[in-house]
Amino acid sequence: MKRTFGTTILSLFLLGQIIACQAEKQISESDANNKLLIGLLAGQASESSKDFALNGVWNSFTGNGTTLDTISTYSAKSGSKGLQLDDSSGFGGYSSCYIIIEFNNAEGSFITQNPENNGGCFAGDTNKGKYNKVFFFKNTAKENSYWICTVAFGKTYDVAKAQADTTTKTNPGSSGCGASAFSRIDKKI
C-alpha cells in the first residue's frame, strides 16, 4: 500500500510537470491556423512545381492566325515521362504523339521523343526513337496563352539536350521560329 501511494504521488507529480510544459509551448489558435495555412500552401507550391507548365488541353494556331490548326494535349510530371498528343485539321489533317522525356519550366523548354516502334504516330515517320527540343514562353498579350517553337527535331538525346534557344522572341506571331512564326497555344476551356 505504501508503494502504491508513492507511485500515485510520483505519477501525479510527473503529470503536473507534463501539463505545465505543454502550457508553456502553446500558441494562440490564430497563430496555429496561420502556420497550418503557410505549411499547406508551401506543400501545394512544392507539389505543383513538379507539374509541367503546359499540362492541359490547348488550341493551337500558327502565329497570329485565328483558324484552329491543332488541339494539343500535354501531360507530364517531374521525375516521370509524359505525353504530348496532337490532333490536327491543318496541313491535310494528322495526329501525332510524342513522349515528354523531361521539361524545364524555368527555362521554358522540354524534350520529346518520337516513340521507337510507331514513330510520332504519323505515317512515314523517319525519326522513330529520335529526340526533339521545344522552347516556349508566356504570351503576354493574351491570358492562358504561350508561344511554342521546335528548334531541334530527329536528333540524338545529347544533341537535343544541348540545343540552345535559337529563337527570336520579338515578333513571335509572324517570325522568330527559324524561318516561320511560332505556334500559339491557347488554353482550351
Side-chain angles (χ1 to χ4, degrees), residues 159-176:
V159 170
K161 176 117 176 123
Q163 176 66 50
D165 185 353
T166 56
T167 64
T168 305
K169 297 174 176 70
T170 52
N171 194 8
S174 59
S175 63

Side-chain angles (χ1 to χ4, degrees), residues 9 24 34 57 63 78 118 185:
I9 295 290
E24 287 179 20
N34 286 341
V57 180
S78 184
N118 293 314
I185 57 172

Side-chain angles (χ1 to χ4, degrees), residues 83-131:
L83 187 63
Q84 173 187 344
L85 298 173
D86 296 319
D87 184 16
S88 178
S89 59
F91 313 106
Y94 69 92
S95 293
S96 59
C97 59
Y98 306 96
I99 301 164
I100 298 173
I101 300 299
E102 61 188 57
F103 60 88
N104 182 330
N105 288 331
E107 180 184 65
S109 69
F110 60 101
I111 295 175
T112 63
Q113 180 185 26
N114 295 26
E116 291 181 35
N117 293 327
N118 293 314
C121 300
F122 54 90
D125 182 5
T126 59
N127 293 298
K128 294 177 181 178
K130 299 289 185 167
Y131 297 85

